[in-house]
């Protein structure tokens, strides 16, 4: 059909699409290579109890030599343990038996981060002529030794939500024609989200035999993540059309995946990207999956709230876009009918 049209009718739109695709691909390369080609960890948090002079002295000496480790002080051992199990720190250093040290880690948070903590503090203890005992309080599953399954599962869930929204937009229009149609779209995406959440949990559970526990929680997290991604994509696409699709790809894929802290802990990422996992959907989903499988439910706080907030914002965005476009269509119809009425 385009070949039959004059070039001035199709060339600008085609050029704009190619330029937009080029920009997204360029951003994808820059974000992934720039963030992940040479990780430089700094300020990796390690807990210590106030008054534990031996542990405090070792951490202070480490901090003077390098910024890779950041001591986080707790008032008592119980608070320090809570910091470990709620994923606020990657390890807790305390005085151990025989005038030595004890390092408790949680490799399920991020194996690369706990390896770094173990290596740096092990060298510091050796230099101080102190024996050190290391225990992994929350280990990753042997079937996921690098701890990457939560990240890859999160990527698939978020991608599934975005693709479902895009498919419905291509089939029925990016903006629903009425509020009842918008309600049907939300309901359809909710059902889809539940199904994909269950499918994801089944794949990492019985099919691939990676996790053997908390699969209902994994399915629930998956459903919420898919629904949040689908709603955000639907809202942005309803307001901005094709441009919204590009924006969604930029947020959820180009920036969201490398900034999720999935491949590396956030402390290994560049400064401009290390806090992204706290608000972007892939990062929130990755963190919530880790909490559901490995950690204390108290660690779900912001991640659960963040995903829920994104889902609600998406619903509101889709509904308001529907109302806006419906009113605009009605106004255009009244304007087009006005000359006929005068005639």
């Amino acid at each position: 059909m385009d070949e039959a049209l004059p070039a001035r009718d199709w060339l600008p739109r085609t050029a704009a699409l190619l330029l937009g695709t080029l920009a997204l691909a360029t951003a994808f390369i820059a974000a992934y290579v720039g963030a992940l080609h040479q990780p430089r960890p700094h300020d990796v948090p390690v807990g210590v109890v106030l008054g534990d002079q031996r542990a405090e002295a070792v951490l202070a000496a480490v901090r003077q030599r390098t910024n890779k480790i950041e001591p986080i002080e707790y008032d008592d051992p119980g608070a320090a343990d809570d910091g470990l199990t709620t994923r606020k720190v990657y390890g807790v250093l305390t005085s151990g038996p025989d005038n030595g040290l004890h390092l408790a880690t949680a490799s399920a948070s991020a194996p690369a981060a706990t390896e770094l903590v173990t290596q740096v503090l092990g060298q510091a203890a050796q230099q101080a002529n102190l024996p050190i005992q290391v225990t992994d309080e929350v280990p990753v599953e042997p079937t996921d030794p690098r701890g990457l399954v939560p990240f890859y599962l999160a990527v698939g869930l978020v991608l599934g939500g975005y693709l479902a929204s895009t498919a419905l937009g291509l089939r029925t229009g990016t903006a629903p024609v009425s509020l009842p149609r918008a309600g049907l779209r939300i309901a359809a995406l909710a059902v889809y989200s539940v199904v994909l959440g269950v499918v994801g949990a089944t794949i990492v559970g019985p099919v691939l035999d990676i996790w053997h526990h908390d699969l209902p929680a994994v399915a629930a997290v998956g459903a919420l993540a898919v629904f949040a991604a689908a709603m955000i994509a639907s809202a942005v696409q309803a307001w901005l059309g094709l441009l919204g699709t590009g924006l969604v790809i930029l947020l959820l894929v180009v920036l969201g995946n490398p900034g999720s802290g999935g491949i590396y802990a956030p402390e290994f990422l560049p400064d401009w990207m290390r806090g992204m996992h706290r608000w972007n959907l892939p990062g929130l989903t990755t963190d919530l999956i880790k909490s559901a499988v490995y950690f204390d439910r108290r660690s779900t706080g912001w991640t659960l709230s963040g995903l829920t907030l994104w889902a609600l914002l998406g619903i509101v965005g889709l509904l308001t876009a529907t109302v806006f476009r419906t009113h605009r269509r009605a106004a255009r119809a009244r304007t087009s009918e006005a000359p006929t009425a005068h005639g």
Side-chain angles (χ1 to χ4, degrees), residues 139-218:
V140 291
E141 288 285 347
T143 48
D144 181 28
R146 303 307 304 165
L148 294 179
V149 170
F151 167 67
Y152 290 129
L153 177 58
V155 170
L157 294 169
V158 172
L159 179 65
Y162 151 68
L163 289 177
S165 170
T166 302
L168 285 180
L170 291 174
R171 180 66 181 85
T172 62
T174 55
V177 297
S178 64
L179 283 177
R181 290 289 184 88
L184 285 175
R185 182 172 298 191
I186 293 170
L189 290 172
V191 173
Y192 170 88
S193 299
V194 172
V195 173
L196 184 53
V198 172
V199 169
T202 302
I203 290 174
V204 298
V207 175
L208 297 180
D209 201 29
I210 297 171
W211 294 326
H212 316 284
H213 54 84
D214 294 306
L215 293 183
V218 174

Side-chain angles (χ1 to χ4, degrees), residues 13-76:
R13 180 179 175 85
T14 301
L17 287 173
L18 289 176
L19 286 174
T21 303
L22 177 63
L24 284 174
T26 302
F28 185 95
I29 295 169
Y32 273 76
V33 177
L36 306 177
H37 76 289
Q38 190 176 7
R40 296 175 178 174
H42 61 94
D43 295 333
V44 177
V46 175
V48 64
V49 179
L50 285 171
D52 188 339
Q53 297 179 356
R54 194 183 310 152
E56 286 182 313
V58 170
L59 283 175
V62 169
R63 186 65 176 179
Q64 289 177 351
R65 292 194 301 268
T66 178
N67 67 350
K68 291 182 179 180
I69 302 296
E70 180 185 14
I72 304 296
E73 297 178 336
Y74 290 96
D75 292 331
D76 57 75

Side-chain angles (χ1 to χ4, degrees), residues 84 97 121 155:
L84 186 66
L121 295 184
V155 170

Side-chain angles (χ1 to χ4, degrees), residues 93-139:
L93 186 67
T94 58
S95 295
D98 301 325
N99 293 321
L101 297 168
H102 176 246
L103 175 63
T105 64
S107 63
S109 289
T114 54
E115 287 175 7
L116 173 74
V117 169
T118 301
Q119 178 185 13
V120 171
L121 295 184
Q123 292 174 351
Q126 184 178 16
Q127 291 172 356
N129 293 318
L130 295 173
I132 184 170
Q133 178 185 13
V134 181
T135 60
D136 193 347
E137 302 294 336
V138 191

